[in-house]
Amino acid sequence: MMSNEKKKRAINRLKTMYPLRNLIDEMYQRGVEASKIGKPTAWSMVNWWEADPILKAMDIEIVYPENYGAVCAAFGAAPAYLDRSDSDGFPTHMCGYARNCIGYAARMKDLGEIPPEAPMGGMAKPILLLASGSLCDARYKWFQALGRYLDAPVWTVEIPHPGVEESFREGAYESAINFMVKELGEFVTFLERLLAKKMDWDKLAEITDDIIKINRLWYEINELRKARPCPMHSRDFWSCMNASLYPAGDPKESLKLYQDMYQEVKDRVENKIGAVAEEKYRLAFAELPPWHDLKIFDELAERGWNFVIESWAYHPPKPIDTSQVSNPLERIAKETYQWFTGSFKGALKAKEYMGYFAYPYLEYARDYQCDGALLHPLLTCRTATNHLMLVQDRLLNKLKIPSLVAEGDIVDLKLFDHADTMRKAETLEEMMDHYRGVRREEGLEW
Amino acid sequence: MTEKERKGLDRVREIYQDRAHRAKELKAEGKQVMGYLCLYPVLEMLTAVDLAPYRILGDMEEPITKADACLPTVVCPFIRSALDLGLKGKYDFLDGVVMAHICDVGEKTSHIWRTYLNPSYFYFIDTPHTVHKAAQQQLKEQLKDFKKTLESFTGRELSLDKLKQAIKTYNRQRALVRELYDLRKPDPPLISGAETLQVMVALMSIPVDEGIDLLRQVISEVKEGKNGPPKKPARLLVWGSIIDNTALIRMIEELEANVVIDDTCVGSRAYFPNVELTDDPLDGLVYRYLVGLKCPRTFRESVFGETKKDYIKDLESRFGYIKDYAKEWNVNGVILQSVRYCDIHGYEVPGLRDYLDHIGLPNIYLEHDYSEAALAPLRTRAQAFLEVIG
Amino acid sequence: MTKVVIMGRDEKICARIVGPTGAEHRRLANKVMEEALEQANLSFNEISCVIATGYGRINVPFADRQITELTCHARGVVSLFPKVRIAIDIGGQDAKGLKISNGKLIDFVMNDRCAAGTGRFLEVIAAALGLKLEELGEISLKSTNRVKISSTCTVFAQQEVIQRISEGIPLEDIVAGLHDAIASRVAKMVKRLKIEPDVVFTGGVAKNAGVVHALKENIGGEILVPDEPLLTGAIGAAILGKELTLKAVAKGETIQRKERRLEEATFFNRGN
Ligand code: SF4
Ligand code: SF4
């Protein structure tokens, strides 16, 4: 019993995390209910605030099949959907979330309604499939492929992916923003036709503003984590990120709870309270965690491992001032583009050309003074995997930070090997100790 | 120069055996050679500033060793192979590299290439995902910038005249490729699929004007029809991800089939779309490279802004050209093939098969690992498919 | 296994041989053929057509035609069960599903990549359990509470089985679990063909009553099994040979393309 209690306390969770996490769950349930009783529903890819405010302003309920893939995996419903996708001829090497969704849609088509076994209320039949060109091919090809089962139109929102150096060429920024604004304009026109109603621009401006505020605050909270000891563990980040990443429900409610969280984290910083009792090692985590084995972080915390920064793709953009921009579409474009390119300046200086996904970890490692990193490649999510070897190499060779690779998957939860990871952790500890000395010798500040 | 002595298909085979030979020779003569990945870098612009484009391909016969350290094994083996060759120094003769946002892993590989190999010239074209007007404009803005970087790298002007000239030259080459493909319409075809592929690889390894000469020789040689393939019951179309080695096509053609047309990117996909000569030549180029090129990496809707999706219409708009190919080349079966881990082609498979079933064309999907050894098990599938349609 | 069937014009079988295969045996197709000829009491030049099929089909230098096992199996199954729509064949090295319409093969799926969906899976695990392959079927039928084998890979499944034994779970429940694992893998693959009755099950593994039972459950319907499930491919090949010959004769052609000699393969590593 004793040891059990000790385990529970290994990570000092934020008190303000709980209400926020509850709100996230509640908003999810409310959304399911609303779309079940006939509110127009869109299935949407995570789009980094590029389309969400527009959909919300048009009163469309949004469900995220990527997120639902994680739900199905957790409830054990995924294997049946994956089998269906396989037997419909989709190659098995493709994204597990996509195959889950394809199987789900196939079954929904057979039944003509939400499959009764679908966990957490299922996903209602959509009037729109909102694809996104950002970061991953699956995120538009998958929705295109759903045409087999659904008659909903697909719209793909564009976000430019310039190269690091190219993004600083004369006119590149203006052109990128212009492109996004024009496309978003087309998107609004399209939605107006789809729903036979007009956009409420004031409402859009307000929602956009709220979301930016949330992201700003969320950013500031994460900035506070640079303190030693780090006041907030990655687990709290993951528990709360959805209120920013999937801005469901009323953003004002989320904003309020993030404010509380900011206070708590700040207090902790002032009182030098860490998320882990004795912070021996500060670590970064890439990308999605092993959802079903989060307890591994408690075990690691007992060894003094504090996870101080994580998951670049789920972090809000670095702040830029768009308050003077009157067109909400332009504000949206600038913020989302900033999310993608926010680290490019540093990357260019460092001659690191994967300015998103890879370079941010170098920046994090330096700013948050990390001793090591835990990298978690996912078998069927190539997007979260492609860059990790580069990250590992650059962290070690440029910043003398060792890292550990532990493989997993997004739907095949058995793949993550807890025992093996714990074994490797010991070796990483030795390396972290060793590289501390190396960094000092090389004149790095930590 | 001995290779100048060889002509037509002999010369093609020679180039196919040692792709880089000519490029290295040109370099020794003082010409700059520019490598490019996949179909999206605009070749006309390279030629217009007197650079010799050279397509970066993989090598199925070379085991991947160095790329293992920077790309995981669960991604496209073609792109891993190409990067591997780069890391091994096999592309060191290139003066610069142009890459583009083809697929996600292609994009990331571009950045990895630059980070590790740091070529003296590098440009990344961020090809948009859609074909909308705004996307075309966005590509055009990038091409304007691309032009500037080429000029400052070479110290030469990329003039309108030269660009128009280059467009005409490339269109001429494209027309000749079509002419060659036309020679596959008779039964039996006058040239095999494997040989055609060698011609395509050769064209991508030498300057465009030399390619034009070579094509002319090949065409007149093939027209004589002395060594064409025998008549076989199956006339196949091969669709899918990149094929840059003859092994797969050879394996199919050793069976009771001739491959008479392809929809792959070392083939018709690269050469069929022409560039229209517009007042501002960039407009024609943008249209061709974004809208005209039919690679599934680009998202298209059958009607811009449609509010309901009609599945068959959607398939028709995405794959209708395949039906046209099938008719023109009198095809009675389709082999869909893709390297494993290619999402771009993978997601397409059930839809394309639905479409082919809908128009009554028998089809099969083969997945492989981009290695010759791994082709063996595919042989039984391919042969059984031929027995089914035979 | 190497199989030979010699068949007369009336589709009566005059010789049937089932012998072992291996790199060495595969090269010796001529020896097995000689044996079969002896059994049938025929000489080689009395044979009007030789069809080679299966993995070793390219190692039979005296064959007139090579036809894939998919087509041959389909033909063999149709001759035994004219109403068949789906044929499932699980052999030692691969598993396949055939879709048949009006007696003709129209589509197929196959797995030759992963041992877990083939007879090899059972072989490996039977060996680990110290059992004979032939015993598995009967043992599993005694099971009352089948365990679930969750590993999809042969190597892991083997470890899992050993683990279960050490937990004291009855052997029959474990073996039944194994049968279910292989049946569910194969059923999943065959579902791509949209299963319709009649379903016929052939191949070495079809002799295992436990797998037959599990496969029934997994596809949710009846399954027919021929008396000699190992021979369907060879029977099909022989029938196709007969048909080809009759067609050729009718046209006044001969089936033989080259001089045929009963000798061993020279490049025996080609098909391995
Ligand atoms: S591959 Fe990864 S990023 Fe892409 S859709 Fe799937 S889970 Fe999302
Ligand atoms: S084969 Fe597919 S994954 Fe590979 S480079 Fe081409 S589009 Fe990308």
Side-chain angles (χ1 to χ4, degrees):
Chain A
M1 267 288 103
M2 267 307 286
S3 73
N4 233 343
E5 258 164 46
K6 203 173 125 228
K7 252 179 211 159
K8 264 185 202 151
R9 261 187 258 119
I11 298 175
N12 184 5
R13 307 287 308 250
L14 293 170
K15 285 182 197 55
T16 49
M17 174 275 294
Y18 299 100
L20 191 50
R21 195 173 62 183
N22 289 344
L23 179 72
I24 290 168
D25 293 347
E26 215 178 278
M27 288 187 307
Y28 185 86
Q29 277 311 327
R30 264 189 264 158
V32 171
E33 290 314 316
S35 59
K36 267 193 170 164
I37 57 171
K39 187 168 169 199
T41 301
W43 289 6
S44 172
M45 291 296 161
V46 182
N47 53 69
W48 291 279
W49 320 283
E50 200 184 351
D52 299 322
I54 298 172
L55 294 173
K56 285 171 80 73
M58 292 296 274
D59 245 339
I60 295 176
E61 202 53 54
I62 316 172
V63 298
Y64 299 92
E66 278 170 288
N67 202 14
Y68 193 64
V71 170
C72 290
F75 280 82
Y81 296 139
L82 297 179
D83 285 350
R84 176 61 192 264
S85 160
D86 299 353
S87 70
D88 277 14
F90 286 91
T92 49
H93 61 69
M94 298 184 335
C95 166
Y97 288 168
R99 285 156 55 227
N100 179 73
C101 176
I102 286 166
Y104 176 90
R107 193 145 152 74
M108 185 159 76
K109 186 184 175 191
D110 291 348
L111 299 173
E113 60 185 25
I114 296 179
E117 78 284 350
M120 288 188 83
M123 299 190 288
K125 195 168 181 288
I127 57 154
L128 166 69
L129 298 170
L130 186 97
S132 162
S134 64
L135 298 189
C136 164
D137 300 326
R139 295 165 20 84
Y140 62 103
K141 295 306 293 178
W142 146 17
F143 274 8
Q144 190 177 37
L146 282 181
R148 278 190 120 207
Y149 313 108
L150 299 168
D151 61 3
V154 185
W155 185 279
T156 300
V157 283
E158 287 270 28
I159 162 169
H161 292 51
V164 165
E165 189 173 2
E166 291 79 1
S167 75
F168 293 107
R169 305 273 313 166
E170 192 192 333
Y173 180 77
E174 292 72 19
S175 167
I177 299 299
N178 193 6
F179 171 36
M180 292 173 81
V181 172
K182 272 203 213 145
E183 269 298 290
L184 291 179
E186 295 285 4
F187 178 47
V188 171
T189 314
F190 160 71
L191 286 179
E192 288 178 337
R193 275 199 299 119
L194 180 68
L195 296 165
K197 77 177 203 195
K198 285 283 162 206
M199 170 57 93
D200 179 344
W201 291 95
D202 290 338
K203 189 170 170 193
L204 177 61
E206 191 184 335
I207 293 173
T208 304
D209 196 61
D210 286 343
I211 291 178
I212 292 172
K213 277 196 192 122
I214 289 178
N215 282 342
R216 193 73 22 101
L217 201 51
W218 189 214
Y219 176 84
E220 295 302 338
I221 293 172
N222 285 293
E223 282 292 289
L224 292 172
R225 299 168 68 195
K226 289 176 181 167
R228 268 181 196 269
C230 169
M232 170 181 156
H233 191 276
S234 293
R235 287 206 51 191
D236 285 334
F237 177 88
W238 293 318
S239 296
C240 299
M241 67 181 187
N242 283 6
S244 143
L245 192 62
Y246 306 98
D250 180 358
K252 294 211 162 49
E253 291 178 69
S254 313
L255 191 61
K256 159 89 189 40
L257 296 179
Y258 274 125
Q259 256 149 6
D260 297 344
M261 181 174 279
Y262 180 82
Q263 262 320 320
E264 186 185 1
V265 177
K266 198 154 162 260
D267 286 348
R268 280 195 180 184
V269 172
E270 279 157 13
N271 297 307
K272 293 209 175 315
I273 301 171
V276 165
E278 217 183 306
E279 181 180 281
K280 277 201 250 159
Y281 303 102
R282 297 169 63 88
L283 287 106
F285 188 95
E287 295 296 325
L288 280 177
W291 289 121
H292 63 298
D293 193 23
L294 292 171
K295 64 176 187 304
I296 195 167
F297 291 100
D298 292 291
E299 275 175 54
L300 293 170
E302 281 174 39
R303 310 177 69 106
W305 292 34
N306 200 356
F307 281 83
V308 299
I309 191 71
E310 62 294 290
S311 316
W312 166 78
Y314 305 98
H315 271 266
K318 292 181 180 174
I320 44 165
D321 184 9
T322 55
S323 57
Q324 300 309 310
V325 178
S326 55
N327 177 359
L329 298 182
E330 189 179 331
R331 265 196 107 176
I332 291 171
K334 287 188 163 160
E335 293 281 345
T336 300
Y337 190 70
Q338 168 70 3
W339 160 77
F340 187 77
T341 58
S343 296
F344 278 23
K345 221 181 239 151
L348 185 62
K349 234 169 86 199
K351 290 198 174 3
E352 291 292 334
Y353 296 101
M354 203 189 287
Y356 63 100
F357 257 137
Y359 178 70
Y361 286 99
L362 298 192
E363 214 172 55
Y364 285 160
R366 199 185 268 279
D367 292 350
Y368 288 77
Q369 305 206 326
C370 294
D371 299 297
L374 182 52
L375 312 176
H376 184 217
L378 302 167
L379 183 64
T380 62
C381 173
R382 273 173 277 288
T383 299
T385 303
N386 287 342
H387 57 290
L388 293 181
M389 304 181 90
L390 180 70
V391 170
Q392 180 163 45
D393 174 64
R394 303 322 260 181
L395 280 177
L396 188 65
N397 287 315
K398 281 208 154 168
L399 298 179
K400 310 297 164 199
I401 296 175
S403 51
L404 162 62
V405 173
E407 283 164 13
D409 187 38
I410 43 182
V411 288
D412 187 353
L413 304 181
K414 288 192 306 261
L415 218 65
F416 183 78
D417 190 335
H418 180 104
D420 186 53
T421 308
M422 288 308 293
R423 267 194 300 279
K424 287 184 184 153
E426 281 177 42
T427 321
L428 183 65
E429 255 168 39
E430 285 164 22
M431 289 173 74
M432 290 194 288
D433 292 336
H434 169 73
Y435 276 100
R436 249 183 208 147
V438 177
R439 282 199 299 277
R440 234 170 277 132
E441 268 166 38
E442 304 218 345
L444 291 154
E445 317 80 271
W446 74 106
Chain B
M1 255 182 267
T2 53
E3 48 282 312
K4 284 268 158 77
E5 289 156 18
R6 291 193 202 265
K7 284 193 173 309
L9 289 171
D10 273 344
R11 173 82 178 117
V12 165
R13 278 186 284 273
E14 190 173 57
I15 302 175
Y16 182 81
Q17 293 306 330
D18 184 7
R19 278 189 69 215
H21 188 81
R22 180 62 189 143
K24 288 178 183 163
E25 229 171 42
L26 287 165
K27 206 172 146 72
E29 291 165 18
K31 185 131 178 153
Q32 286 165 303
V33 183
M34 190 61 79
Y36 67 96
L37 185 66
C38 293
L39 296 183
Y40 286 86
V42 180
L43 305 186
E44 289 83 345
M45 294 173 74
L46 299 177
T47 299
V49 275
D50 208 23
L51 292 165
Y54 182 86
R55 182 159 175 183
I56 293 172
L57 295 174
D59 183 353
M60 250 169 79
E61 283 151 31
E62 164 101 29
I64 295 172
T65 51
K66 292 214 154 177
D68 281 339
C70 34
L71 267 183
T73 48
V74 291
V75 305
C76 168
F78 155 72
I79 213 97
R80 292 179 83 243
S81 170
L83 177 63
D84 190 60
L85 297 180
L87 294 169
K88 284 175 177 157
K90 304 225 163 150
Y91 284 117
D92 281 356
F93 64 91
L94 299 173
D95 291 281
V97 174
V98 186
M99 295 191 168
H101 191 167
I102 26 170
C103 53
D104 182 53
V105 67
E107 180 209 3
K108 284 186 172 135
T109 300
S110 307
H111 305 320
I112 293 175
W113 189 292
R114 180 162 195 196
T115 304
Y116 283 112
L117 293 165
N118 198 22
S120 30
Y121 173 88
F122 186 93
Y123 200 86
F124 177 75
I125 300 176
D126 173 34
T127 314
H129 284 98
T130 65
V131 297
H132 299 167
K133 280 270 147 48
Q136 294 176 34
Q137 185 62 35
Q138 166 70 357
L139 181 57
K140 185 174 173 183
E141 293 304 322
Q142 291 182 68
L143 294 188
K144 285 190 202 159
D145 184 53
F146 178 45
K147 170 172 177 281
K148 283 190 216 153
T149 64
L150 287 173
E151 289 177 332
S152 76
F153 174 66
T154 57
R156 293 184 287 270
E157 195 202 343
L158 199 168
S159 69
L160 271 189
D161 270 356
K162 281 199 187 142
L163 188 54
K164 286 188 179 163
Q165 204 47 53
I167 290 174
K168 283 187 200 147
T169 311
Y170 275 92
N171 279 346
R172 202 165 334 123
Q173 184 177 64
R174 291 172 186 135
L176 287 167
V177 170
R178 281 228 182 221
E179 215 180 303
L180 180 66
Y181 269 65
D182 282 345
L183 301 178
R184 304 165 81 184
K185 286 179 179 168
D187 198 24
L190 302 185
I191 177 170
S192 71
E195 278 175 311
T196 310
L197 179 60
Q198 288 190 340
V199 178
M200 298 302 116
V201 171
L203 293 181
M204 291 168 174
S205 317
I206 58 175
V208 60
D209 43 359
E210 292 179 24
I212 289 177
D213 292 342
L214 183 61
L215 273 167
R216 291 210 170 105
Q217 295 160 12
V218 169
I219 289 169
S220 64
E221 185 181 335
V222 170
K223 271 187 181 159
E224 283 172 26
K226 285 199 201 105
N227 296 311
K231 195 173 154 93
K232 302 225 180 126
R235 296 176 56 86
L236 302 181
L237 181 152
V238 172
W239 170 93
S241 70
I242 187 164
I243 303 177
D244 57 1
N245 180 303
T246 51
L248 177 70
I249 306 290
R250 233 189 310 118
M251 183 268 276
I252 297 170
E253 290 186 327
E254 275 165 13
L255 303 170
E256 290 296 295
N258 284 311
V259 173
V260 296
I261 177 76
D262 67 86
D263 177 24
T264 60
C265 70
V266 184
S268 73
R269 235 183 245 172
Y271 290 102
F272 279 18
N274 271 324
V275 177
E276 195 189 325
L277 254 186
T278 43
D279 292 342
D280 180 349
L282 286 185
D283 290 329
L285 287 170
V286 162
Y287 192 83
R288 189 265 179 192
Y289 280 87
L290 189 60
V291 189
L293 270 186
K294 293 281 191 303
C295 170
R297 57 82 52 208
T298 306
F299 174 81
R300 297 161 207 269
E301 49 270 271
S302 65
V303 185
F304 175 73
E306 62 195 347
T307 53
K308 259 246 150 18
K309 183 150 161 179
D310 177 327
Y311 185 46
I312 292 299
K313 229 167 77 188
D314 183 57
L315 295 177
E316 190 75 52
S317 81
R318 281 157 61 198
F319 305 122
Y321 67 97
I322 295 177
K323 178 167 77 182
D324 299 339
Y325 291 175
K327 263 195 210 140
E328 279 183 54
W329 276 268
N330 198 16
V331 163
N332 57 8
V334 178
I335 293 189
L336 293 80
Q337 62 80 37
S338 174
V339 290
R340 203 159 355 164
Y341 307 126
C342 173
D343 291 325
I344 296 292
H345 289 90
Y347 282 95
E348 223 65 351
V349 169
L352 177 51
R353 297 193 73 178
D354 285 346
Y355 181 69
L356 294 171
D357 291 347
H358 175 72
I359 61 174
L361 260 184
N363 56 80
I364 184 173
Y365 172 55
L366 305 178
E367 205 169 86
H368 56 96
D369 294 334
Y370 195 74
S371 81
E372 206 168 337
L375 289 178
L378 297 185
R379 193 192 168 91
T380 297
R381 287 174 172 76
Q383 189 178 349
F385 172 64
L386 296 173
E387 288 163 1
V388 166
I389 68 175
Chain C
M1 299 285 202
T2 305
K3 301 118 202 166
V4 183
V5 162
I6 297 180
M7 188 179 270
R9 181 189 274 264
D10 52 0
E11 292 194 12
K12 246 177 70 194
I13 297 176
C14 9
R16 63 190 82 206
I17 299 277
V18 178
T21 319
E24 189 57 14
H25 296 104
R26 206 174 275 169
R27 187 163 59 97
L28 299 177
N30 58 328
K31 292 274 178 318
V32 198
M33 187 65 183
E34 272 162 16
E35 223 180 292
L37 287 168
E38 203 174 307
Q39 199 186 82
N41 207 2
L42 290 167
S43 74
F44 189 49
N45 41 30
E46 284 174 272
I47 304 288
S48 39
C49 178
V50 180
I51 304 287
T53 185
Y55 284 89
R57 67 185 183 278
I58 40 184
N59 298 321
V60 185
F62 51 85
D64 297 302
R65 293 280 191 285
Q66 294 157 355
I67 301 179
T68 64
E69 54 273 33
L70 295 121
T71 300
C72 291
H73 266 293
R75 190 64 192 87
V77 172
V78 167
S79 78
L80 301 169
F81 303 95
K83 281 196 310 207
V84 61
R85 297 301 307 273
I86 292 284
I88 300 171
D89 184 272
I90 313 181
Q93 324 179 34
D94 69 0
K96 23 190 189 289
L98 312 172
K99 177 138 204 170
I100 295 165
S101 171
N102 295 325
K104 259 205 75 181
L105 177 66
I106 56 165
D107 200 359
F108 59 87
V109 285
M110 67 189 292
N111 159 34
D112 50 16
R113 245 197 212 139
C114 164
T118 72
R120 179 96 191 109
F121 177 75
L122 293 180
E123 258 169 59
V124 169
I125 295 181
L129 292 173
L131 295 172
K132 286 209 207 82
L133 199 55
E134 304 81 59
E135 298 172 338
L136 293 181
E138 205 159 313
I139 293 176
S140 71
L141 294 179
K142 290 190 217 122
S143 165
T144 47
N145 185 17
R146 160 175 96 200
V147 293
K148 186 145 179 62
I149 305 291
S150 58
S151 304
T152 45
C153 161
T154 310
V155 181
F156 292 136
Q158 199 177 335
Q159 290 168 2
E160 197 176 330
V161 162
I162 291 166
Q163 169 76 22
R164 289 281 175 271
I165 298 248
S166 70
E167 285 165 14
I169 294 184
L171 192 61
E172 58 264 28
D173 291 342
I174 297 175
V175 176
L178 288 168
H179 291 158
D180 183 58
I182 178 171
S184 93
R185 287 210 119 209
V186 174
K188 243 180 236 173
M189 174 180 84
V190 178
K191 276 184 190 153
R192 252 178 259 171
L193 300 173
K194 308 273 172 274
I195 296 180
E196 296 166 73
D198 291 354
V199 179
V200 177
F201 180 23
T202 63
V205 177
K207 284 187 166 174
N208 178 326
V211 179
V212 175
H213 176 76
L215 196 57
K216 270 184 203 164
E217 274 184 21
N218 273 283
I219 64 166
E222 259 317 303
I223 311 190
L224 307 165
V225 181
D227 294 336
E228 289 179 289
L230 266 172
L231 278 183
T232 25
I235 292 172
I239 297 175
L240 287 167
K242 183 206 81 177
E243 287 171 354
L244 278 172
T245 310
L246 292 182
K247 229 188 261 169
V249 170
K251 282 203 224 153
E253 291 165 0
T254 82
I255 204 91
Q256 269 171 269
R257 281 181 184 157
K258 54 173 193 281
E259 209 206 326
R260 207 165 58 182
R261 249 180 309 165
L262 199 48
E263 60 188 18
E264 55 188 67
T266 37
F267 0 72
F268 59 91
N269 51 359
R270 265 185 74 194
N272 290 340

